[in-house]
Amino acid sequence: KNRKPYCNGNSLPPSSWPCLPLIGNQFHHYPPTITSLTEALRRLHAAHGPVVSLWVGSKPAIFISCHDLAHRALVHMGTTFAHRPASWYSGLNSHCVNSATYGSRWGLLRRNLCSHLGAAHVKDVLRSSGDRLIKILESAAAAAAAGEDGAGAVVAPLETFRHAVFGFFAALCFGQGVVEEDMLGRLRDLHAEIISLIVELDAFHLLPAFLQVVCYFPRWRKLLSAQKRHHLLVTTIIAARRTRREEVVGQDAAEPRCYVDTLLGLELEELGEDEMVSLCWEYMNAAVKTTTTALQWIMARLVLHQEIQQKLRNDIASRRASGDHQQRPFVEAVVLEALRLHPPAHYLLAHTTDKDVSLGKHVIPRGSVVNFGVATIGRDETSWTDPGVFRPERFMEGGEGSGVHCTSGGSSGSETMKMIPFGAGRRACPGAAVAMTVLQSFVEDLVMRFEWKRATTGAVVGESVDMTEKLGIITEMKVPLQTHLVVRQNSDGSHIYKRTIYGR
Ligand code: HEM
């Protein structure tokens, strides 16, 4: 199959299995989930190399898992591959940047998002979110230490990470002081409910319409109901922001502009309620789970590698003391190494092309679903020595990853394509720089305020950190991190660490 010449003597990327009308060959990984897809792709790549195809009904879905072809497609042929496949129903995603057709509307919305993120009062919001994060963890550590179940100071920090990251991005999106704590709680619950109802493969355009209708009709009804409640809540928040904006005009022109303000001020194109809600959904959805997941992987690595944790602490302290801002800080190297080994998204969002193109020995037909193996590229042994080893030093000066920058969008040379946790080229993640700032800032705070030790008592006696992956749209830790958390203090009980906000 797929061997016959398609165009200019090139053939479609190979696929191992026969294709049925309406269904394609997705039945070879049943039930159709990211886990079964990943296993099917592993077998296909092992048999046929880095470019393979599956079939979604009568449409090829092509997967690319090597960095040089990904670089050629996403950067050199950037405009050709900048398109997204059409969808007959995208729900809350209908009016987003990520789903927009590559063109002027996409450009307008993306520029607005980027300039908001570039100008956002990130430092102020980081300070209050970081304070909240530390405070909650201190209480959790104290409660665990005083626990009667003999569990010692074992803490599971994921929920606190989620809370802090959600609060941070909600303040940037809706404005500080507009969203009350209980509203924030309801919004978080609705996000969690909607995400749990999204069909994984559908998010990647890999589920034929026929299967979507047959298999997931009941789930859709629940999804629609949750989306309606989300719409109601977000329009209330937007209305509150609109009122506040009208009240402060002329009084406090310096008040920071949140994302909703920028959308309300977009003059070139009037945005309706549905569009505004959709864009706010995208902002929170794209930012929160990815960043929270990355934070948990990073802290798990630091619990596992105590020597790296101590080295990081020493580096932060000595840089603070000497005011050294020249070299790449070790915290950035730690974050990059964690993103290389544990990218929250193992695949990019689906891309497509607007014409038939040749890539390597194959042809990518116009309109195919095209995706890229983010995790495979970051762990490729032709790009990295000992790719499975967590070694942040590789990103320091002179190391094999010293030229790698996650936030350049892949346009500044082939080095950047040794890993693509944020994608690359035209559709690269516009939130990458802010995500890196948040991660570095939170990690610094967490490491300087606490010692993160392996849990040796209670439910996790004798166990190390379990790094098994739970594959999904976002790949999380299967067993959430549990750690023995010790507050670092001077002998007089005062705090050792005075916070300063990293980066921007
Ligand atoms: C650790 C955190 C994050 C990771 C790992 C991440 C990863 C990604 C990836 C892999 C893509 C797909 C790129 C492609 O299809 O080529 C993407 C797209 C996107 N991300 Fe992020 N992201 C993160 C944080 C954020 C944040 C903080 C925001 C905004 C506040 C954001 C907004 C977006 C948007 C709007 C897109 C679609 C861009 C387009 O289609 O033009 N992301 N992200």
Side-chain angles (χ1 to χ4, degrees), residues 14-15 17 25-26 29 37 40-41 44 52-56 59-63 206:
S15 180
W17 303 298
N25 56 13
Q26 305 282 331
H29 56 99
L37 170 77
L41 286 175
L44 271 178
V52 295
S53 60
L54 287 168
W55 289 82
V56 185
K59 202 193 291 176
I62 291 159
F63 285 83
L206 292 177

PDB file of all heavy atoms in Angstrom, residues 14-15 17 25-26 29 37 40-41 44 52-56 59-63 206:
ATOM      1  N   PRO A  14       4.722   5.510   3.636  1.00  0.00           N
ATOM      2  CA  PRO A  14       4.182   4.163   3.778  1.00  0.00           C
ATOM      3  C   PRO A  14       3.256   3.985   4.979  1.00  0.00           C
ATOM      4  O   PRO A  14       3.354   4.696   5.966  1.00  0.00           O
ATOM      5  CB  PRO A  14       5.437   3.308   3.955  1.00  0.00           C
ATOM      6  CG  PRO A  14       6.488   4.245   4.401  1.00  0.00           C
ATOM      7  CD  PRO A  14       6.153   5.591   3.876  1.00  0.00           C
ATOM      8  N   SER A  15       2.389   2.997   4.835  1.00  0.00           N
ATOM      9  CA  SER A  15       1.498   2.611   5.923  1.00  0.00           C
ATOM     10  C   SER A  15       1.401   1.100   5.868  1.00  0.00           C
ATOM     11  O   SER A  15       1.471   0.520   4.789  1.00  0.00           O
ATOM     12  CB  SER A  15       0.134   3.248   5.705  1.00  0.00           C
ATOM     13  OG  SER A  15      -0.729   2.893   6.747  1.00  0.00           O
ATOM     14  N   TRP A  17      -1.105  -0.990   7.033  1.00  0.00           N
ATOM     15  CA  TRP A  17      -2.381  -1.697   7.126  1.00  0.00           C
ATOM     16  C   TRP A  17      -3.359  -1.287   6.039  1.00  0.00           C
ATOM     17  O   TRP A  17      -3.312  -0.161   5.546  1.00  0.00           O
ATOM     18  CB  TRP A  17      -2.996  -1.417   8.505  1.00  0.00           C
ATOM     19  CG  TRP A  17      -2.059  -1.820   9.604  1.00  0.00           C
ATOM     20  CD1 TRP A  17      -1.588  -3.068   9.862  1.00  0.00           C
ATOM     21  CD2 TRP A  17      -1.437  -0.952  10.553  1.00  0.00           C
ATOM     22  NE1 TRP A  17      -0.722  -3.040  10.926  1.00  0.00           N
ATOM     23  CE2 TRP A  17      -0.607  -1.765  11.379  1.00  0.00           C
ATOM     24  CE3 TRP A  17      -1.493   0.415  10.807  1.00  0.00           C
ATOM     25  CZ2 TRP A  17       0.135  -1.247  12.424  1.00  0.00           C
ATOM     26  CZ3 TRP A  17      -0.753   0.929  11.850  1.00  0.00           C
ATOM     27  CH2 TRP A  17       0.056   0.110  12.649  1.00  0.00           C
ATOM     28  N   ASN A  25      -7.657   3.342   8.492  1.00  0.00           N
ATOM     29  CA  ASN A  25      -7.070   2.164   9.155  1.00  0.00           C
ATOM     30  C   ASN A  25      -6.832   2.401  10.645  1.00  0.00           C
ATOM     31  O   ASN A  25      -5.957   1.822  11.247  1.00  0.00           O
ATOM     32  CB  ASN A  25      -5.805   1.662   8.453  1.00  0.00           C
ATOM     33  CG  ASN A  25      -4.763   2.757   8.319  1.00  0.00           C
ATOM     34  OD1 ASN A  25      -4.881   3.809   8.943  1.00  0.00           O
ATOM     35  ND2 ASN A  25      -3.751   2.506   7.508  1.00  0.00           N
ATOM     36  N   GLN A  26      -7.672   3.244  11.228  1.00  0.00           N
ATOM     37  CA  GLN A  26      -7.553   3.528  12.658  1.00  0.00           C
ATOM     38  C   GLN A  26      -7.909   2.316  13.523  1.00  0.00           C
ATOM     39  O   GLN A  26      -7.540   2.254  14.680  1.00  0.00           O
ATOM     40  CB  GLN A  26      -8.488   4.677  13.063  1.00  0.00           C
ATOM     41  CG  GLN A  26      -8.289   5.931  12.281  1.00  0.00           C
ATOM     42  CD  GLN A  26      -7.082   6.708  12.763  1.00  0.00           C
ATOM     43  OE1 GLN A  26      -6.740   6.631  13.923  1.00  0.00           O
ATOM     44  NE2 GLN A  26      -6.434   7.398  11.864  1.00  0.00           N
ATOM     45  N   HIS A  29      -5.421   0.460  15.727  1.00  0.00           N
ATOM     46  CA  HIS A  29      -5.065   0.791  17.107  1.00  0.00           C
ATOM     47  C   HIS A  29      -6.371   1.074  17.838  1.00  0.00           C
ATOM     48  O   HIS A  29      -6.910   2.161  17.832  1.00  0.00           O
ATOM     49  CB  HIS A  29      -4.050   1.931  17.205  1.00  0.00           C
ATOM     50  CG  HIS A  29      -4.439   3.213  16.537  1.00  0.00           C
ATOM     51  ND1 HIS A  29      -4.965   4.266  17.216  1.00  0.00           N
ATOM     52  CD2 HIS A  29      -4.370   3.606  15.246  1.00  0.00           C
ATOM     53  CE1 HIS A  29      -5.195   5.263  16.392  1.00  0.00           C
ATOM     54  NE2 HIS A  29      -4.849   4.885  15.196  1.00  0.00           N
ATOM     55  N   LEU A  37      -2.417   4.997  19.509  1.00  0.00           N
ATOM     56  CA  LEU A  37      -1.830   5.653  18.335  1.00  0.00           C
ATOM     57  C   LEU A  37      -0.294   5.660  18.442  1.00  0.00           C
ATOM     58  O   LEU A  37       0.409   5.351  17.476  1.00  0.00           O
ATOM     59  CB  LEU A  37      -2.332   7.106  18.250  1.00  0.00           C
ATOM     60  CG  LEU A  37      -1.616   7.979  17.225  1.00  0.00           C
ATOM     61  CD1 LEU A  37      -2.097   7.673  15.815  1.00  0.00           C
ATOM     62  CD2 LEU A  37      -1.799   9.465  17.503  1.00  0.00           C
ATOM     63  N   ALA A  40       1.028   2.305  17.693  1.00  0.00           N
ATOM     64  CA  ALA A  40       0.938   2.018  16.247  1.00  0.00           C
ATOM     65  C   ALA A  40       2.031   2.772  15.488  1.00  0.00           C
ATOM     66  O   ALA A  40       2.684   2.222  14.596  1.00  0.00           O
ATOM     67  CB  ALA A  40      -0.438   2.424  15.729  1.00  0.00           C
ATOM     68  N   LEU A  41       2.258   4.027  15.871  1.00  0.00           N
ATOM     69  CA  LEU A  41       3.278   4.823  15.175  1.00  0.00           C
ATOM     70  C   LEU A  41       4.675   4.279  15.454  1.00  0.00           C
ATOM     71  O   LEU A  41       5.535   4.273  14.575  1.00  0.00           O
ATOM     72  CB  LEU A  41       3.193   6.289  15.618  1.00  0.00           C
ATOM     73  CG  LEU A  41       2.000   7.063  15.041  1.00  0.00           C
ATOM     74  CD1 LEU A  41       1.926   8.463  15.636  1.00  0.00           C
ATOM     75  CD2 LEU A  41       2.100   7.160  13.516  1.00  0.00           C
ATOM     76  N   LEU A  44       5.111   1.470  13.137  1.00  0.00           N
ATOM     77  CA  LEU A  44       5.232   1.950  11.749  1.00  0.00           C
ATOM     78  C   LEU A  44       6.604   2.582  11.489  1.00  0.00           C
ATOM     79  O   LEU A  44       7.247   2.299  10.476  1.00  0.00           O
ATOM     80  CB  LEU A  44       4.162   3.016  11.472  1.00  0.00           C
ATOM     81  CG  LEU A  44       2.815   2.546  10.956  1.00  0.00           C
ATOM     82  CD1 LEU A  44       1.877   3.739  10.789  1.00  0.00           C
ATOM     83  CD2 LEU A  44       2.978   1.833   9.618  1.00  0.00           C
ATOM     84  N   VAL A  52       5.703   8.349   8.000  1.00  0.00           N
ATOM     85  CA  VAL A  52       4.733   7.261   7.767  1.00  0.00           C
ATOM     86  C   VAL A  52       3.331   7.858   7.685  1.00  0.00           C
ATOM     87  O   VAL A  52       3.122   9.021   8.025  1.00  0.00           O
ATOM     88  CB  VAL A  52       4.769   6.225   8.915  1.00  0.00           C
ATOM     89  CG1 VAL A  52       6.108   5.516   8.977  1.00  0.00           C
ATOM     90  CG2 VAL A  52       4.443   6.867  10.255  1.00  0.00           C
ATOM     91  N   SER A  53       2.401   7.037   7.239  1.00  0.00           N
ATOM     92  CA  SER A  53       1.027   7.564   7.205  1.00  0.00           C
ATOM     93  C   SER A  53       0.020   6.578   7.770  1.00  0.00           C
ATOM     94  O   SER A  53       0.239   5.364   7.777  1.00  0.00           O
ATOM     95  CB  SER A  53       0.633   7.965   5.781  1.00  0.00           C
ATOM     96  OG  SER A  53       0.712   6.862   4.932  1.00  0.00           O
ATOM     97  N   LEU A  54      -1.049   7.157   8.282  1.00  0.00           N
ATOM     98  CA  LEU A  54      -2.251   6.405   8.657  1.00  0.00           C
ATOM     99  C   LEU A  54      -3.372   6.996   7.803  1.00  0.00           C
ATOM    100  O   LEU A  54      -3.159   7.981   7.100  1.00  0.00           O
ATOM    101  CB  LEU A  54      -2.564   6.624  10.137  1.00  0.00           C
ATOM    102  CG  LEU A  54      -1.655   5.932  11.157  1.00  0.00           C
ATOM    103  CD1 LEU A  54      -1.919   6.477  12.545  1.00  0.00           C
ATOM    104  CD2 LEU A  54      -1.894   4.426  11.124  1.00  0.00           C
ATOM    105  N   TRP A  55      -4.552   6.429   7.904  1.00  0.00           N
ATOM    106  CA  TRP A  55      -5.662   6.979   7.119  1.00  0.00           C
ATOM    107  C   TRP A  55      -6.815   7.352   8.030  1.00  0.00           C
ATOM    108  O   TRP A  55      -7.227   6.571   8.876  1.00  0.00           O
ATOM    109  CB  TRP A  55      -6.116   5.971   6.053  1.00  0.00           C
ATOM    110  CG  TRP A  55      -5.088   5.864   4.967  1.00  0.00           C
ATOM    111  CD1 TRP A  55      -3.954   5.113   4.981  1.00  0.00           C
ATOM    112  CD2 TRP A  55      -5.076   6.594   3.744  1.00  0.00           C
ATOM    113  NE1 TRP A  55      -3.216   5.322   3.844  1.00  0.00           N
ATOM    114  CE2 TRP A  55      -3.887   6.219   3.053  1.00  0.00           C
ATOM    115  CE3 TRP A  55      -5.928   7.516   3.147  1.00  0.00           C
ATOM    116  CZ2 TRP A  55      -3.554   6.751   1.809  1.00  0.00           C
ATOM    117  CZ3 TRP A  55      -5.597   8.031   1.897  1.00  0.00           C
ATOM    118  CH2 TRP A  55      -4.420   7.651   1.244  1.00  0.00           C
ATOM    119  N   VAL A  56      -7.308   8.578   7.820  1.00  0.00           N
ATOM    120  CA  VAL A  56      -8.498   9.033   8.542  1.00  0.00           C
ATOM    121  C   VAL A  56      -9.601   9.058   7.504  1.00  0.00           C
ATOM    122  O   VAL A  56      -9.691   9.983   6.699  1.00  0.00           O
ATOM    123  CB  VAL A  56      -8.293  10.460   9.101  1.00  0.00           C
ATOM    124  CG1 VAL A  56      -9.474  10.879   9.944  1.00  0.00           C
ATOM    125  CG2 VAL A  56      -7.001  10.541   9.880  1.00  0.00           C
ATOM    126  N   LYS A  59      -8.578  10.224   3.998  1.00  0.00           N
ATOM    127  CA  LYS A  59      -7.530  11.262   4.043  1.00  0.00           C
ATOM    128  C   LYS A  59      -6.268  10.714   4.705  1.00  0.00           C
ATOM    129  O   LYS A  59      -6.348  10.099   5.765  1.00  0.00           O
ATOM    130  CB  LYS A  59      -8.076  12.420   4.882  1.00  0.00           C
ATOM    131  CG  LYS A  59      -7.404  13.740   4.606  1.00  0.00           C
ATOM    132  CD  LYS A  59      -7.744  14.762   5.649  1.00  0.00           C
ATOM    133  CE  LYS A  59      -9.183  15.237   5.622  1.00  0.00           C
ATOM    134  NZ  LYS A  59      -9.444  16.154   6.746  1.00  0.00           N
ATOM    135  N   PRO A  60      -5.098  10.931   4.092  1.00  0.00           N
ATOM    136  CA  PRO A  60      -3.892  10.472   4.778  1.00  0.00           C
ATOM    137  C   PRO A  60      -3.534  11.369   5.963  1.00  0.00           C
ATOM    138  O   PRO A  60      -3.711  12.578   5.900  1.00  0.00           O
ATOM    139  CB  PRO A  60      -2.807  10.552   3.700  1.00  0.00           C
ATOM    140  CG  PRO A  60      -3.338  11.414   2.635  1.00  0.00           C
ATOM    141  CD  PRO A  60      -4.820  11.514   2.779  1.00  0.00           C
ATOM    142  N   ALA A  61      -3.068  10.730   7.041  1.00  0.00           N
ATOM    143  CA  ALA A  61      -2.536  11.470   8.194  1.00  0.00           C
ATOM    144  C   ALA A  61      -1.062  11.090   8.276  1.00  0.00           C
ATOM    145  O   ALA A  61      -0.728   9.931   8.511  1.00  0.00           O
ATOM    146  CB  ALA A  61      -3.261  11.069   9.465  1.00  0.00           C
ATOM    147  N   ILE A  62      -0.212  12.082   8.052  1.00  0.00           N
ATOM    148  CA  ILE A  62       1.223  11.802   7.904  1.00  0.00           C
ATOM    149  C   ILE A  62       1.981  12.232   9.160  1.00  0.00           C
ATOM    150  O   ILE A  62       1.728  13.318   9.698  1.00  0.00           O
ATOM    151  CB  ILE A  62       1.747  12.536   6.651  1.00  0.00           C
ATOM    152  CG1 ILE A  62       1.116  11.846   5.434  1.00  0.00           C
ATOM    153  CG2 ILE A  62       3.273  12.501   6.554  1.00  0.00           C
ATOM    154  CD1 ILE A  62       1.066  12.636   4.199  1.00  0.00           C
ATOM    155  N   PHE A  63       2.849  11.352   9.632  1.00  0.00           N
ATOM    156  CA  PHE A  63       3.608  11.636  10.865  1.00  0.00           C
ATOM    157  C   PHE A  63       5.092  11.708  10.552  1.00  0.00           C
ATOM    158  O   PHE A  63       5.641  10.805   9.920  1.00  0.00           O
ATOM    159  CB  PHE A  63       3.333  10.553  11.911  1.00  0.00           C
ATOM    160  CG  PHE A  63       1.970  10.705  12.525  1.00  0.00           C
ATOM    161  CD1 PHE A  63       0.854  10.198  11.890  1.00  0.00           C
ATOM    162  CD2 PHE A  63       1.803  11.394  13.714  1.00  0.00           C
ATOM    163  CE1 PHE A  63      -0.405  10.370  12.424  1.00  0.00           C
ATOM    164  CE2 PHE A  63       0.549  11.578  14.260  1.00  0.00           C
ATOM    165  CZ  PHE A  63      -0.558  11.065  13.619  1.00  0.00           C
ATOM    166  N   LEU A 206      -7.816  13.164  13.932  1.00  0.00           N
ATOM    167  CA  LEU A 206      -7.482  11.796  13.540  1.00  0.00           C
ATOM    168  C   LEU A 206      -8.669  10.847  13.654  1.00  0.00           C
ATOM    169  O   LEU A 206      -8.498   9.640  13.519  1.00  0.00           O
ATOM    170  CB  LEU A 206      -6.330  11.272  14.425  1.00  0.00           C
ATOM    171  CG  LEU A 206      -4.985  11.962  14.199  1.00  0.00           C
ATOM    172  CD1 LEU A 206      -3.933  11.445  15.156  1.00  0.00           C
ATOM    173  CD2 LEU A 206      -4.508  11.773  12.761  1.00  0.00           C
TER     174      LEU A 206
END
